[in-house]
Structures are given as C-alpha cells and as structure tokens.
Amino acid sequence: WFVARSDDANYDGRRSATMTCQVIEDDVAFATVSGKALTVGAGVDGPTFSDGYSITLSAPPTADVVVTLGCADPYVYVFPRQLVFSPDDWEPNLVAVNASLRNASDTRSRMATLTHSLSSEDAFFDGLAVSDVEIAVEFSADSVPPPKLELVRFLDGGNGLDVLFDSPTNMIDGEWDIDCATLFEYAAQQFGADGTCSWTNSSALRVTFGAGAQIVPFDYVAATEKNAAWLKGGVLKNDLDGATLTSAAQYAEAQKPLHPVAP
C-alpha cells in the first residue's frame, strides 16, 4: 500500500488499497566472454597448441539459453560448437579452440573470427548480441599460447583494479613495478595521470588509481570504452624460455567489486 502526502487535507495521509507487485525481471541480461583474442598453434602434422575462453551469463535465465558458435575457417576447430545454459545450471561454460594449416606448404599466420548466436524462450536472452572472438593461427615453435586477459575487477574500495591473466607472463623482464602505459592503452585517461601498476605475481597485476581516473565498472546498457581495460598487443609473452609469440591487443570489461565497501 501507499500513503499520500499532499497540502490538500482531503488527500494528505490517505492510504491506498493493499496491492501485490510482481518483479518480472530485475537483472540486466547480457553475456560476456573472458578472452576476446586467442592464439592457437598449427604445424605440418596438425594442431600444436590450443587456446580457450569462457562465456558467462549475467543472471539465471527463465528458460534454456542455447549459444551456437560459428567460424568460417574450416581449419579452425571449436569444442563444443553449442553450449546450453539452463535456469538450474548457468555457470560459465568453457570453449576450446585449435587449428591446422590449410595445407602443409602455407605456414603464414592468419586470422579467423568466432561468432556467437543466442536463442531462448527467455525473451531477455533470445537474440542477444555477444562479442566476437578473434583467433590468430600461428605456425610457431611455441608450445603454449601467449597470455590473455582473463578478468579485470574493481577493488572493494574502488581505488584500483585487479587484472588477471590466464597464464604466467614474462612480466617484462621480471620488473614488479611497471609503467601502466607500457601495458595499457589510454592508461593516463583510464587510471589517472599518476596511477601505478605493480605485478603481485606473474599472472596478476594491481592497478592503483591516481587523480582523475575515468574507468568505471562495466555497464551493459550504457557500455563505453571507459568500461574496460585495453591491453596493448606485442608486449607480453609467456614465461617459458624461448617464447616468441606475444599477446594480441585485447580488452576486458571492468567488473564491479565483489564486496564493495558500504558507506
């Protein structure tokens, strides 16, 4: 019920009849992918190393959500080709990717695009747009792919970010403190002119904001470039001796803190 407030004495303090309200949908429906730039290895005898990523829904659906994956390159292999999220099981789903050469004499690097299409009887997820994943197919002596962004999340105090990679990096010759601009596009704009970046281990980085930082938590409804951290390409390698491949330019949405500090 509601109570009216008015300067008109005839209405002030009047209570409405008791009403029942039903919340039809209080979550914003979207799907995110954990890695938007993959690298896979191809040799004369077939795939040499694979890569992968996960797909996550923002909320439990009211009906099954079927995600169909597509790639125009017949020599790029995706497992599985179809994912199903259900109201009772909507945990992140993993996708594995590898590739082979088109023919043994063509060892040139090439790019492929992996697309996603969603269908569901839940109208909020049916036909929802999901980011494509770019795949670099490399003829290389490397045995594992270069690192890629896995997660960017605001600290609980809102004063910085934790940046996680899916595998150990070479940390730019082992330096724990690093100029943010070495790794990230828009570093001064996103993190503040005096923002700092420090490795906490070989696959995790802590960003501490400086004055004027503009990055904001990811908002699907009003997404902008300020909602994400943008890793530069050609900088990071894996931590194995002799690694040659570098991470591709990529971005990851800045997720809200897990346990934000309450006022």
Side-chain angles (χ1 to χ4, degrees), residues 169-239:
T169 73
N170 63 344
M171 292 173 52
I172 316 302
D173 299 325
E175 293 293 333
W176 290 97
D177 295 328
I178 185 169
D179 183 352
C180 295
T182 299
L183 291 178
F184 297 100
E185 301 283 2
Y186 320 117
Q189 174 188 3
Q190 298 282 69
F191 310 145
D194 54 348
T196 61
C197 290
S198 300
W199 294 98
T200 55
N201 60 53
S202 62
S203 59
L205 186 81
R206 172 67 56 87
V207 177
T208 302
F209 295 150
Q214 296 182 28
I215 191 170
V216 293
F218 176 64
D219 181 347
Y220 180 80
V221 176
T224 72
E225 67 179 20
K226 294 179 182 179
N227 296 141
W230 299 75
L231 181 72
K232 290 182 176 180
V235 179
L236 287 176
K237 299 178 182 178
N238 66 55
D239 65 344

Short mmCIF file of all heavy atoms in Angstrom, two decimals, residues 169-239:
data_model
loop_
_atom_site.label_atom_id
_atom_site.label_comp_id
_atom_site.label_asym_id
_atom_site.label_seq_id
_atom_site.Cartn_x
_atom_site.Cartn_y
_atom_site.Cartn_z
N THR A 169 53.04 -14.71 -17.16
CA THR A 169 53.65 -13.84 -18.17
C THR A 169 55.14 -13.70 -17.90
O THR A 169 55.65 -14.08 -16.84
CB THR A 169 53.02 -12.43 -18.12
OG1 THR A 169 53.50 -11.76 -16.95
CG2 THR A 169 51.50 -12.51 -18.05
N ASN A 170 55.84 -13.10 -18.85
CA ASN A 170 57.27 -12.82 -18.63
C ASN A 170 57.48 -11.54 -17.82
O ASN A 170 58.61 -11.17 -17.53
CB ASN A 170 58.00 -12.70 -19.97
CG ASN A 170 57.49 -11.54 -20.82
OD1 ASN A 170 56.42 -11.00 -20.57
ND2 ASN A 170 58.26 -11.16 -21.82
N MET A 171 56.40 -10.87 -17.42
CA MET A 171 56.44 -9.70 -16.55
C MET A 171 57.38 -8.61 -17.04
O MET A 171 57.92 -7.82 -16.25
CB MET A 171 56.85 -10.09 -15.12
CG MET A 171 55.83 -10.94 -14.39
SD MET A 171 56.45 -11.54 -12.81
CE MET A 171 57.00 -10.02 -12.05
N ILE A 172 57.63 -8.55 -18.34
CA ILE A 172 58.56 -7.57 -18.90
C ILE A 172 59.90 -7.64 -18.16
O ILE A 172 60.28 -6.74 -17.41
CB ILE A 172 57.98 -6.14 -18.87
CG1 ILE A 172 56.53 -6.11 -19.31
CG2 ILE A 172 58.82 -5.23 -19.76
CD1 ILE A 172 56.30 -6.65 -20.70
N ASP A 173 60.57 -8.76 -18.34
CA ASP A 173 61.90 -8.97 -17.75
C ASP A 173 61.89 -8.99 -16.22
O ASP A 173 62.89 -8.66 -15.58
CB ASP A 173 62.90 -7.92 -18.25
CG ASP A 173 63.08 -7.99 -19.76
OD1 ASP A 173 63.04 -9.11 -20.30
OD2 ASP A 173 63.24 -6.94 -20.39
N GLY A 174 60.75 -9.35 -15.63
CA GLY A 174 60.72 -9.57 -14.19
C GLY A 174 60.60 -8.34 -13.33
O GLY A 174 60.76 -8.43 -12.10
N GLU A 175 60.30 -7.18 -13.90
CA GLU A 175 60.13 -5.97 -13.09
C GLU A 175 58.76 -5.99 -12.41
O GLU A 175 57.74 -6.13 -13.05
CB GLU A 175 60.26 -4.72 -13.96
CG GLU A 175 61.66 -4.50 -14.54
CD GLU A 175 62.66 -4.17 -13.46
OE1 GLU A 175 62.26 -3.63 -12.41
OE2 GLU A 175 63.85 -4.45 -13.66
N TRP A 176 58.74 -5.83 -11.06
CA TRP A 176 57.47 -5.88 -10.33
C TRP A 176 56.64 -4.62 -10.55
O TRP A 176 55.43 -4.69 -10.68
CB TRP A 176 57.74 -6.08 -8.84
CG TRP A 176 58.25 -7.46 -8.55
CD1 TRP A 176 59.55 -7.84 -8.40
CD2 TRP A 176 57.47 -8.65 -8.43
NE1 TRP A 176 59.64 -9.19 -8.18
CE2 TRP A 176 58.38 -9.73 -8.19
CE3 TRP A 176 56.12 -8.94 -8.51
CZ2 TRP A 176 57.97 -11.04 -8.03
CZ3 TRP A 176 55.69 -10.24 -8.33
CH2 TRP A 176 56.61 -11.27 -8.10
N ASP A 177 57.29 -3.45 -10.57
CA ASP A 177 56.59 -2.20 -10.84
C ASP A 177 56.81 -1.84 -12.30
O ASP A 177 57.92 -1.95 -12.82
CB ASP A 177 57.14 -1.07 -9.96
CG ASP A 177 56.87 -1.30 -8.48
OD1 ASP A 177 55.84 -1.91 -8.16
OD2 ASP A 177 57.71 -0.89 -7.66
N ILE A 178 55.74 -1.43 -12.96
CA ILE A 178 55.83 -1.16 -14.39
C ILE A 178 54.98 0.05 -14.73
O ILE A 178 53.92 0.29 -14.11
CB ILE A 178 55.37 -2.40 -15.19
CG1 ILE A 178 55.58 -2.19 -16.68
CG2 ILE A 178 53.93 -2.76 -14.89
CD1 ILE A 178 55.40 -3.45 -17.50
N ASP A 179 55.43 0.83 -15.67
CA ASP A 179 54.66 1.97 -16.16
C ASP A 179 53.38 1.44 -16.80
O ASP A 179 53.43 0.61 -17.72
CB ASP A 179 55.50 2.74 -17.18
CG ASP A 179 54.81 4.00 -17.69
OD1 ASP A 179 53.61 4.21 -17.38
OD2 ASP A 179 55.45 4.77 -18.41
N CYS A 180 52.24 1.90 -16.31
CA CYS A 180 50.95 1.41 -16.84
C CYS A 180 50.86 1.59 -18.36
O CYS A 180 50.27 0.76 -19.06
CB CYS A 180 49.79 2.13 -16.17
SG CYS A 180 49.62 1.81 -14.40
N ALA A 181 51.47 2.65 -18.87
CA ALA A 181 51.39 2.94 -20.30
C ALA A 181 52.15 1.92 -21.14
O ALA A 181 51.94 1.82 -22.34
CB ALA A 181 51.90 4.34 -20.59
N THR A 182 53.06 1.17 -20.51
CA THR A 182 53.77 0.11 -21.24
C THR A 182 52.82 -1.01 -21.62
O THR A 182 52.95 -1.62 -22.68
CB THR A 182 54.91 -0.45 -20.38
OG1 THR A 182 55.84 0.60 -20.07
CG2 THR A 182 55.65 -1.57 -21.09
N LEU A 183 51.84 -1.27 -20.77
CA LEU A 183 50.93 -2.39 -20.97
C LEU A 183 49.58 -1.99 -21.55
O LEU A 183 48.97 -2.76 -22.30
CB LEU A 183 50.68 -3.12 -19.64
CG LEU A 183 51.84 -3.90 -19.04
CD1 LEU A 183 51.42 -4.51 -17.70
CD2 LEU A 183 52.29 -5.00 -19.99
N PHE A 184 49.08 -0.80 -21.18
CA PHE A 184 47.70 -0.47 -21.46
C PHE A 184 47.56 0.76 -22.35
O PHE A 184 48.29 1.75 -22.17
CB PHE A 184 46.92 -0.23 -20.17
CG PHE A 184 46.82 -1.43 -19.27
CD1 PHE A 184 47.67 -1.55 -18.18
CD2 PHE A 184 45.91 -2.43 -19.53
CE1 PHE A 184 47.60 -2.66 -17.35
CE2 PHE A 184 45.83 -3.54 -18.71
CZ PHE A 184 46.68 -3.66 -17.62
N GLU A 185 46.60 0.69 -23.28
CA GLU A 185 46.17 1.87 -23.99
C GLU A 185 45.38 2.77 -23.04
O GLU A 185 44.76 2.28 -22.09
CB GLU A 185 45.28 1.48 -25.18
CG GLU A 185 45.93 0.56 -26.20
CD GLU A 185 46.90 1.27 -27.12
OE1 GLU A 185 47.09 2.49 -26.94
OE2 GLU A 185 47.46 0.60 -28.00
N TYR A 186 45.38 4.06 -23.30
CA TYR A 186 44.58 5.02 -22.53
C TYR A 186 44.90 4.99 -21.04
O TYR A 186 44.05 5.30 -20.20
CB TYR A 186 43.07 4.76 -22.72
CG TYR A 186 42.65 4.38 -24.10
CD1 TYR A 186 42.08 3.13 -24.36
CD2 TYR A 186 42.82 5.25 -25.18
CE1 TYR A 186 41.69 2.76 -25.63
CE2 TYR A 186 42.44 4.89 -26.46
CZ TYR A 186 41.87 3.64 -26.68
OH TYR A 186 41.50 3.28 -27.95
N ALA A 187 46.13 4.63 -20.66
CA ALA A 187 46.47 4.44 -19.25
C ALA A 187 46.25 5.71 -18.43
O ALA A 187 45.64 5.67 -17.35
CB ALA A 187 47.90 3.95 -19.11
N ALA A 188 46.75 6.84 -18.92
CA ALA A 188 46.60 8.08 -18.16
C ALA A 188 45.13 8.46 -18.00
O ALA A 188 44.70 8.94 -16.96
CB ALA A 188 47.38 9.20 -18.83
N GLN A 189 44.34 8.25 -19.07
CA GLN A 189 42.92 8.58 -19.02
C GLN A 189 42.17 7.62 -18.11
O GLN A 189 41.38 8.03 -17.26
CB GLN A 189 42.33 8.52 -20.43
CG GLN A 189 40.82 8.70 -20.47
CD GLN A 189 40.24 8.44 -21.85
OE1 GLN A 189 40.95 8.08 -22.77
NE2 GLN A 189 38.95 8.64 -22.00
N GLN A 190 42.43 6.34 -18.26
CA GLN A 190 41.67 5.35 -17.51
C GLN A 190 42.05 5.30 -16.03
O GLN A 190 41.19 5.18 -15.16
CB GLN A 190 41.90 3.96 -18.12
CG GLN A 190 41.44 3.80 -19.55
CD GLN A 190 39.94 3.63 -19.66
OE1 GLN A 190 39.18 4.54 -19.39
NE2 GLN A 190 39.51 2.45 -20.04
N PHE A 191 43.37 5.34 -15.75
CA PHE A 191 43.84 5.10 -14.39
C PHE A 191 44.30 6.37 -13.67
O PHE A 191 44.68 6.31 -12.50
CB PHE A 191 45.01 4.11 -14.40
CG PHE A 191 44.75 2.86 -15.18
CD1 PHE A 191 45.77 2.23 -15.89
CD2 PHE A 191 43.49 2.28 -15.24
CE1 PHE A 191 45.54 1.07 -16.61
CE2 PHE A 191 43.24 1.13 -15.97
CZ PHE A 191 44.27 0.52 -16.66
N GLY A 192 44.28 7.50 -14.34
CA GLY A 192 44.79 8.74 -13.75
C GLY A 192 46.24 8.96 -14.13
O GLY A 192 47.00 8.01 -14.32
N ALA A 193 46.62 10.22 -14.23
CA ALA A 193 47.96 10.55 -14.71
C ALA A 193 49.06 9.96 -13.83
O ALA A 193 50.14 9.64 -14.31
CB ALA A 193 48.12 12.07 -14.79
N ASP A 194 48.82 9.83 -12.53
CA ASP A 194 49.82 9.26 -11.63
C ASP A 194 49.39 7.89 -11.11
O ASP A 194 49.83 7.45 -10.05
CB ASP A 194 50.10 10.21 -10.47
CG ASP A 194 48.83 10.63 -9.72
OD1 ASP A 194 47.73 10.36 -10.22
OD2 ASP A 194 48.95 11.22 -8.63
N GLY A 195 48.55 7.19 -11.87
CA GLY A 195 48.19 5.82 -11.50
C GLY A 195 49.40 4.90 -11.59
O GLY A 195 50.33 5.15 -12.36
N THR A 196 49.39 3.83 -10.80
CA THR A 196 50.53 2.92 -10.76
C THR A 196 50.08 1.49 -11.06
O THR A 196 48.94 1.11 -10.81
CB THR A 196 51.22 2.94 -9.39
OG1 THR A 196 50.29 2.52 -8.37
CG2 THR A 196 51.73 4.34 -9.06
N CYS A 197 51.02 0.70 -11.61
CA CYS A 197 50.78 -0.71 -11.91
C CYS A 197 51.90 -1.55 -11.30
O CYS A 197 53.08 -1.21 -11.48
CB CYS A 197 50.73 -0.95 -13.42
SG CYS A 197 49.28 -0.24 -14.25
N SER A 198 51.55 -2.61 -10.59
CA SER A 198 52.53 -3.49 -9.96
C SER A 198 52.07 -4.93 -10.09
O SER A 198 50.90 -5.24 -9.84
CB SER A 198 52.72 -3.14 -8.48
OG SER A 198 53.16 -1.82 -8.31
N TRP A 199 52.99 -5.81 -10.46
CA TRP A 199 52.69 -7.23 -10.50
C TRP A 199 52.62 -7.78 -9.08
O TRP A 199 53.48 -7.49 -8.26
CB TRP A 199 53.77 -7.98 -11.29
CG TRP A 199 53.81 -7.65 -12.75
CD1 TRP A 199 54.65 -6.78 -13.36
CD2 TRP A 199 52.97 -8.19 -13.76
NE1 TRP A 199 54.38 -6.73 -14.71
CE2 TRP A 199 53.36 -7.59 -14.99
CE3 TRP A 199 51.93 -9.13 -13.77
CZ2 TRP A 199 52.75 -7.89 -16.19
CZ3 TRP A 199 51.31 -9.42 -14.97
CH2 TRP A 199 51.71 -8.81 -16.16
N THR A 200 51.61 -8.57 -8.78
CA THR A 200 51.54 -9.27 -7.50
C THR A 200 52.05 -10.70 -7.64
O THR A 200 52.48 -11.30 -6.68
CB THR A 200 50.10 -9.27 -6.94
OG1 THR A 200 49.21 -9.83 -7.91
CG2 THR A 200 49.65 -7.84 -6.65
N ASN A 201 51.95 -11.25 -8.83
CA ASN A 201 52.65 -12.47 -9.22
C ASN A 201 52.72 -12.45 -10.74
O ASN A 201 52.33 -11.46 -11.37
CB ASN A 201 51.97 -13.74 -8.67
CG ASN A 201 50.53 -13.90 -9.13
OD1 ASN A 201 50.24 -13.86 -10.33
ND2 ASN A 201 49.61 -14.06 -8.19
N SER A 202 53.22 -13.51 -11.35
CA SER A 202 53.48 -13.46 -12.79
C SER A 202 52.22 -13.45 -13.64
O SER A 202 52.30 -13.23 -14.85
CB SER A 202 54.36 -14.64 -13.20
OG SER A 202 53.72 -15.86 -12.93
N SER A 203 51.06 -13.66 -13.04
CA SER A 203 49.82 -13.63 -13.82
C SER A 203 48.78 -12.68 -13.25
O SER A 203 47.62 -12.72 -13.65
CB SER A 203 49.22 -15.04 -13.94
OG SER A 203 48.96 -15.58 -12.65
N ALA A 204 49.17 -11.83 -12.31
CA ALA A 204 48.22 -10.91 -11.69
C ALA A 204 48.87 -9.55 -11.49
O ALA A 204 50.02 -9.44 -11.06
CB ALA A 204 47.73 -11.45 -10.35
N LEU A 205 48.13 -8.50 -11.80
CA LEU A 205 48.61 -7.13 -11.75
C LEU A 205 47.65 -6.31 -10.91
O LEU A 205 46.43 -6.47 -11.01
CB LEU A 205 48.69 -6.56 -13.17
CG LEU A 205 49.31 -5.19 -13.37
CD1 LEU A 205 50.83 -5.29 -13.36
CD2 LEU A 205 48.85 -4.58 -14.70
N ARG A 206 48.18 -5.41 -10.08
CA ARG A 206 47.36 -4.49 -9.30
C ARG A 206 47.52 -3.07 -9.85
O ARG A 206 48.64 -2.57 -9.96
CB ARG A 206 47.77 -4.55 -7.82
CG ARG A 206 47.15 -3.51 -6.90
CD ARG A 206 45.64 -3.69 -6.73
NE ARG A 206 45.26 -4.99 -6.25
CZ ARG A 206 45.19 -5.34 -4.94
NH1 ARG A 206 45.51 -4.46 -4.01
NH2 ARG A 206 44.79 -6.55 -4.61
N VAL A 207 46.40 -2.47 -10.22
CA VAL A 207 46.39 -1.07 -10.67
C VAL A 207 45.85 -0.22 -9.53
O VAL A 207 44.78 -0.51 -8.98
CB VAL A 207 45.49 -0.89 -11.92
CG1 VAL A 207 45.44 0.59 -12.32
CG2 VAL A 207 46.00 -1.73 -13.08
N THR A 208 46.58 0.82 -9.16
CA THR A 208 46.11 1.78 -8.15
C THR A 208 45.85 3.11 -8.86
O THR A 208 46.75 3.66 -9.51
CB THR A 208 47.16 1.98 -7.04
OG1 THR A 208 47.43 0.71 -6.44
CG2 THR A 208 46.64 2.93 -5.98
N PHE A 209 44.64 3.62 -8.72
CA PHE A 209 44.25 4.81 -9.44
C PHE A 209 44.97 6.06 -8.92
O PHE A 209 45.27 6.17 -7.73
CB PHE A 209 42.74 5.06 -9.33
CG PHE A 209 41.90 3.99 -9.98
CD1 PHE A 209 40.64 3.70 -9.49
CD2 PHE A 209 42.36 3.28 -11.07
CE1 PHE A 209 39.85 2.73 -10.08
CE2 PHE A 209 41.59 2.31 -11.68
CZ PHE A 209 40.33 2.03 -11.18
N GLY A 210 45.21 6.99 -9.83
CA GLY A 210 45.67 8.32 -9.48
C GLY A 210 44.53 9.30 -9.64
O GLY A 210 43.38 8.93 -9.92
N ALA A 211 44.84 10.57 -9.46
CA ALA A 211 43.82 11.61 -9.59
C ALA A 211 43.27 11.65 -11.01
O ALA A 211 44.02 11.55 -11.98
CB ALA A 211 44.42 12.96 -9.21
N GLY A 212 41.95 11.77 -11.12
CA GLY A 212 41.31 11.92 -12.42
C GLY A 212 41.07 10.62 -13.17
O GLY A 212 40.75 10.66 -14.37
N ALA A 213 41.18 9.47 -12.51
CA ALA A 213 40.91 8.20 -13.18
C ALA A 213 39.48 8.18 -13.68
O ALA A 213 38.55 8.57 -12.98
CB ALA A 213 41.16 7.04 -12.22
N GLN A 214 39.28 7.68 -14.93
CA GLN A 214 37.96 7.74 -15.55
C GLN A 214 37.31 6.38 -15.78
O GLN A 214 36.15 6.32 -16.19
CB GLN A 214 38.06 8.48 -16.89
CG GLN A 214 38.47 9.94 -16.78
CD GLN A 214 38.50 10.64 -18.13
OE1 GLN A 214 37.76 10.28 -19.05
NE2 GLN A 214 39.34 11.65 -18.25
N ILE A 215 38.03 5.30 -15.56
CA ILE A 215 37.43 3.99 -15.81
C ILE A 215 36.29 3.76 -14.83
O ILE A 215 36.36 4.17 -13.66
CB ILE A 215 38.48 2.86 -15.71
CG1 ILE A 215 37.91 1.55 -16.22
CG2 ILE A 215 39.03 2.73 -14.29
CD1 ILE A 215 38.95 0.45 -16.39
N VAL A 216 35.22 3.16 -15.30
CA VAL A 216 34.04 2.90 -14.47
C VAL A 216 33.64 1.44 -14.65
O VAL A 216 33.98 0.81 -15.65
CB VAL A 216 32.87 3.83 -14.85
CG1 VAL A 216 33.19 5.27 -14.51
CG2 VAL A 216 32.53 3.69 -16.34
N PRO A 217 32.93 0.86 -13.67
CA PRO A 217 32.50 -0.54 -13.81
C PRO A 217 31.65 -0.76 -15.04
O PRO A 217 30.92 0.13 -15.48
CB PRO A 217 31.71 -0.79 -12.51
CG PRO A 217 32.26 0.19 -11.53
CD PRO A 217 32.58 1.41 -12.34
N PHE A 218 31.75 -1.95 -15.58
CA PHE A 218 31.04 -2.31 -16.81
C PHE A 218 29.54 -2.13 -16.66
O PHE A 218 28.93 -2.56 -15.69
CB PHE A 218 31.36 -3.76 -17.16
CG PHE A 218 30.62 -4.28 -18.36
CD1 PHE A 218 30.84 -3.73 -19.61
CD2 PHE A 218 29.71 -5.31 -18.24
CE1 PHE A 218 30.16 -4.21 -20.73
CE2 PHE A 218 29.03 -5.80 -19.34
CZ PHE A 218 29.25 -5.24 -20.59
N ASP A 219 28.95 -1.48 -17.64
CA ASP A 219 27.51 -1.25 -17.69
C ASP A 219 27.04 -1.67 -19.07
O ASP A 219 27.30 -0.98 -20.06
CB ASP A 219 27.21 0.24 -17.44
CG ASP A 219 25.72 0.55 -17.45
OD1 ASP A 219 24.93 -0.31 -17.88
OD2 ASP A 219 25.35 1.66 -17.04
N TYR A 220 26.35 -2.81 -19.16
CA TYR A 220 25.95 -3.33 -20.46
C TYR A 220 25.01 -2.37 -21.18
O TYR A 220 25.08 -2.21 -22.40
CB TYR A 220 25.26 -4.69 -20.28
CG TYR A 220 24.81 -5.30 -21.59
CD1 TYR A 220 25.71 -5.97 -22.41
CD2 TYR A 220 23.49 -5.21 -22.02
CE1 TYR A 220 25.32 -6.51 -23.61
CE2 TYR A 220 23.08 -5.76 -23.22
CZ TYR A 220 24.00 -6.41 -24.01
OH TYR A 220 23.60 -6.94 -25.20
N VAL A 221 24.16 -1.70 -20.43
CA VAL A 221 23.17 -0.83 -21.05
C VAL A 221 23.82 0.40 -21.66
O VAL A 221 23.43 0.87 -22.73
CB VAL A 221 22.09 -0.42 -20.02
CG1 VAL A 221 21.11 0.57 -20.64
CG2 VAL A 221 21.35 -1.65 -19.51
N ALA A 222 24.84 0.92 -20.99
CA ALA A 222 25.50 2.14 -21.47
C ALA A 222 27.01 1.90 -21.57
O ALA A 222 27.80 2.63 -21.01
CB ALA A 222 25.20 3.30 -20.53
N ALA A 223 27.39 0.85 -22.29
CA ALA A 223 28.80 0.48 -22.38
C ALA A 223 29.57 1.50 -23.21
O ALA A 223 29.12 1.94 -24.26
CB ALA A 223 28.93 -0.91 -22.99
N THR A 224 30.75 1.88 -22.72
CA THR A 224 31.66 2.76 -23.44
C THR A 224 33.07 2.22 -23.28
O THR A 224 33.30 1.26 -22.54
CB THR A 224 31.62 4.21 -22.90
OG1 THR A 224 32.26 4.24 -21.61
CG2 THR A 224 30.19 4.71 -22.74
N GLU A 225 34.05 2.85 -23.94
CA GLU A 225 35.43 2.40 -23.80
C GLU A 225 35.94 2.61 -22.37
O GLU A 225 36.93 2.01 -21.97
CB GLU A 225 36.33 3.15 -24.77
CG GLU A 225 36.48 4.63 -24.51
CD GLU A 225 37.42 5.31 -25.50
OE1 GLU A 225 37.65 4.74 -26.59
OE2 GLU A 225 37.91 6.40 -25.17
N LYS A 226 35.25 3.44 -21.58
CA LYS A 226 35.66 3.66 -20.20
C LYS A 226 35.26 2.49 -19.29
O LYS A 226 35.61 2.48 -18.11
CB LYS A 226 35.04 4.96 -19.67
CG LYS A 226 35.55 6.22 -20.35
CD LYS A 226 34.89 7.46 -19.78
CE LYS A 226 35.37 8.72 -20.49
NZ LYS A 226 34.71 9.94 -19.98
N ASN A 227 34.51 1.52 -19.82
CA ASN A 227 34.10 0.37 -19.03
C ASN A 227 35.12 -0.77 -19.08
O ASN A 227 34.87 -1.83 -18.51
CB ASN A 227 32.76 -0.20 -19.53
CG ASN A 227 31.60 0.76 -19.36
OD1 ASN A 227 30.75 0.85 -20.22
ND2 ASN A 227 31.57 1.49 -18.25
N ALA A 228 36.25 -0.58 -19.76
CA ALA A 228 37.15 -1.70 -19.99
C ALA A 228 38.61 -1.26 -19.86
O ALA A 228 38.93 -0.08 -19.97
CB ALA A 228 36.91 -2.30 -21.37
N ALA A 229 39.47 -2.27 -19.61
CA ALA A 229 40.91 -2.06 -19.67
C ALA A 229 41.41 -2.62 -21.00
O ALA A 229 41.02 -3.72 -21.40
CB ALA A 229 41.60 -2.78 -18.50
N TRP A 230 42.29 -1.87 -21.67
CA TRP A 230 42.72 -2.20 -23.03
C TRP A 230 44.21 -2.55 -23.03
O TRP A 230 45.06 -1.67 -22.89
CB TRP A 230 42.45 -1.01 -23.96
CG TRP A 230 40.99 -0.65 -24.03
CD1 TRP A 230 40.26 0.00 -23.08
CD2 TRP A 230 40.09 -0.94 -25.08
NE1 TRP A 230 38.95 0.15 -23.49
CE2 TRP A 230 38.81 -0.43 -24.71
CE3 TRP A 230 40.22 -1.58 -26.32
CZ2 TRP A 230 37.71 -0.54 -25.52
CZ3 TRP A 230 39.11 -1.68 -27.13
CH2 TRP A 230 37.86 -1.17 -26.73
N LEU A 231 44.51 -3.82 -23.19
CA LEU A 231 45.88 -4.30 -23.20
C LEU A 231 46.51 -4.05 -24.57
O LEU A 231 45.91 -4.33 -25.60
CB LEU A 231 45.92 -5.79 -22.88
CG LEU A 231 47.30 -6.45 -22.82
CD1 LEU A 231 48.06 -6.00 -21.58
CD2 LEU A 231 47.17 -7.97 -22.85
N LYS A 232 47.74 -3.54 -24.58
CA LYS A 232 48.46 -3.35 -25.83
C LYS A 232 48.92 -4.69 -26.38
O LYS A 232 49.25 -5.62 -25.63
CB LYS A 232 49.67 -2.45 -25.61
CG LYS A 232 49.34 -0.99 -25.34
CD LYS A 232 50.61 -0.16 -25.20
CE LYS A 232 50.28 1.32 -25.02
NZ LYS A 232 51.50 2.14 -24.87
N GLY A 233 48.97 -4.81 -27.69
CA GLY A 233 49.49 -6.00 -28.32
C GLY A 233 51.01 -5.94 -28.46
O GLY A 233 51.61 -4.87 -28.41
N GLY A 234 51.62 -7.12 -28.63
CA GLY A 234 53.04 -7.18 -28.91
C GLY A 234 53.95 -6.92 -27.73
O GLY A 234 55.13 -6.63 -27.93
N VAL A 235 53.45 -7.02 -26.50
CA VAL A 235 54.26 -6.70 -25.32
C VAL A 235 54.53 -7.94 -24.46
O VAL A 235 55.68 -8.29 -24.20
CB VAL A 235 53.59 -5.61 -24.47
CG1 VAL A 235 54.42 -5.30 -23.23
CG2 VAL A 235 53.38 -4.34 -25.29
N LEU A 236 53.47 -8.61 -24.01
CA LEU A 236 53.63 -9.73 -23.08
C LEU A 236 53.85 -11.06 -23.80
O LEU A 236 53.24 -11.33 -24.83
CB LEU A 236 52.40 -9.85 -22.18
CG LEU A 236 52.22 -8.79 -21.10
CD1 LEU A 236 50.90 -9.01 -20.37
CD2 LEU A 236 53.38 -8.80 -20.12
N LYS A 237 54.72 -11.88 -23.22
CA LYS A 237 54.92 -13.26 -23.66
C LYS A 237 54.65 -14.19 -22.48
O LYS A 237 54.50 -13.74 -21.33
CB LYS A 237 56.36 -13.47 -24.14
CG LYS A 237 56.77 -12.63 -25.34
CD LYS A 237 58.23 -12.89 -25.69
CE LYS A 237 58.68 -12.02 -26.86
NZ LYS A 237 60.11 -12.25 -27.20
N ASN A 238 54.59 -15.50 -22.74
CA ASN A 238 54.52 -16.43 -21.62
C ASN A 238 55.90 -16.54 -20.97
O ASN A 238 56.88 -15.98 -21.45
CB ASN A 238 53.97 -17.79 -22.06
CG ASN A 238 54.90 -18.52 -23.01
OD1 ASN A 238 56.07 -18.74 -22.73
ND2 ASN A 238 54.36 -18.91 -24.17
N ASP A 239 55.97 -17.24 -19.84
CA ASP A 239 57.20 -17.26 -19.05
C ASP A 239 58.15 -18.39 -19.41
O ASP A 239 59.12 -18.65 -18.69
CB ASP A 239 56.86 -17.32 -17.56
CG ASP A 239 56.16 -18.61 -17.17
OD1 ASP A 239 55.65 -19.33 -18.06
OD2 ASP A 239 56.13 -18.93 -15.96
#
